[in-house]
């Protein structure tokens, strides 16, 4: 079995070779399938979703951000804080982005909210460089999202949580060929699996959720 770093490096190299046309096509597919997923979770009302900004050769998420906003949903984007913590800022098309202080990423400017804001969220869209059909995820290597996902259980058990039918739905965004066979990604105790892969080609249920629609 390849190590996480070997898989991450290989996929980053392939991503770097993508053309602008390929990125635009991927962004359109992610937006289309992401909106369908979000609509299935929010139902007839406007929902709230935590996402991130994909940049460079990463799967583009800006089309999805705009599509969700146009559909009436609220969007939260992360800000990296000390100690591998994330805070969250509500995003709109006019929002300003600034260079992150603690990570080399673009982050939204605005009022920051702690993890408790997730009590009002319908679903979470995560970054990844690879997924396997078991639901194991390889992120960017910083550890922010594993720590964030681990912190959710206590927050979501409190009163006022919008999503009450089970774990908060999660989907990680990758290209179609970055969804690997079950067991391809080594799982460590601190890793947190995800429920679905959101790709330009569609939404694929992972792990125990496979085959449920």
């Amino acid at each position: 079995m390849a190590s996480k770093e070997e898989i991450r490096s290989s996929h980053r190299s392939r991503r770097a070779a993508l053309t602008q046309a390929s990125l635009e096509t991927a962004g359109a597919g992610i937006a289309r399938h992401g909106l369908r997923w979000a609509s299935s979770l929010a139902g007839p009302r406007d929902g709230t979703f935590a996402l991130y900004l994909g940049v460079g050769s990463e799967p583009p998420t800006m089309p999805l951000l705009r599509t969700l906003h146009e559909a009436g949903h609220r969007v939260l984007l992360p800000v990296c804080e000390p100690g591998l913590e994330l805070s969250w800022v509500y995003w709109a098309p006019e929002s300003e982005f600034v260079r992150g202080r603690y990570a080399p990423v673009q982050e939204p400017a605005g009022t920051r909210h702690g993890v408790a804001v997730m009590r009002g969220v319908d679903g979470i869209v995560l970054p990844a460089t690879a997924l396997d059909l078991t639901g194991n995820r390889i992120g960017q290597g910083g550890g922010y999202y594993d720590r964030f996902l681990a912190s959710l259980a206590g927050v979501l058990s409190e009163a006022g949580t919008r999503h009450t039918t089970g774990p908060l739905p999660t989907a990680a965004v990758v290209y179609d060929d970055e969804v690997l066979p079950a067991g391809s990604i080594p799982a460590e105790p601190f890793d947190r699996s995800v429920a679905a892969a959101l790709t330009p080609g569609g939404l694929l249920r992972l792990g125990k959720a496979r085959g449920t629609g």
Side-chain angles (χ1 to χ4, degrees):
M1 178 186 295
S3 70
K4 285 186 177 181
E5 191 49 49
E6 288 171 336
I7 297 172
R8 184 183 292 117
S9 177
S10 173
H11 287 202
R12 281 177 172 168
S13 294
R14 289 203 296 271
R15 288 180 174 189
L18 292 172
T19 65
Q20 184 60 35
S22 296
L23 291 172
E24 291 174 0
T25 299
I30 290 165
R32 183 170 63 256
H33 299 298
L35 176 60
R36 185 177 300 130
W37 178 72
S39 298
S40 72
L41 296 175
R45 58 175 173 75
D46 296 336
T48 302
F49 295 89
L51 289 94
Y52 72 98
L53 179 65
V55 298
S57 60
E58 295 176 348
T61 59
M62 180 56 79
L64 176 57
L65 302 185
R66 294 186 179 277
T67 297
L68 291 177
H69 182 270
E70 290 167 2
H73 301 299
R74 301 185 78 189
V75 173
L76 285 159
L77 294 182
V79 173
C80 295
E81 304 284 7
L84 299 181
E85 300 286 349
L86 292 176
S87 60
W88 298 87
V89 173
Y90 283 102
W91 172 89
E94 64 273 15
S95 295
E96 176 188 0
F97 283 92
V98 296
R99 180 74 168 181
R101 182 177 179 183
Y102 297 102
V105 295
Q106 292 296 304
E107 298 176 337
T111 302
R112 299 182 186 185
H113 302 270
V115 69
V117 76
M118 293 297 136
R119 292 202 297 267
V121 164
D122 294 277
I124 301 173
V125 177
L126 322 174
T129 53
L131 298 167
D132 69 18
L133 293 176
T134 315
N136 294 326
R137 165 185 167 271
I138 297 178
Q140 302 287 21
Y144 282 92
Y145 273 91
D146 284 319
R147 188 178 181 91
F148 163 65
L149 292 174
S151 71
L152 283 180
V155 171
L156 298 180
S157 66
E158 300 173 12
T161 300
R162 173 172 288 187
H163 190 82
T164 58
T165 59
L168 191 59
T170 54
V173 182
V174 292
Y175 294 106
D176 295 281
D177 61 358
E178 294 174 344
V179 181
L180 308 178
S184 296
I185 296 175
E188 301 175 69
F190 56 81
D191 288 333
R192 294 296 184 271
S193 62
V194 296
L198 176 56
T199 77
L203 184 81
L204 180 63
R205 308 289 178 178
L206 306 175
K208 294 180 180 178
R210 292 182 65 198
T212 61

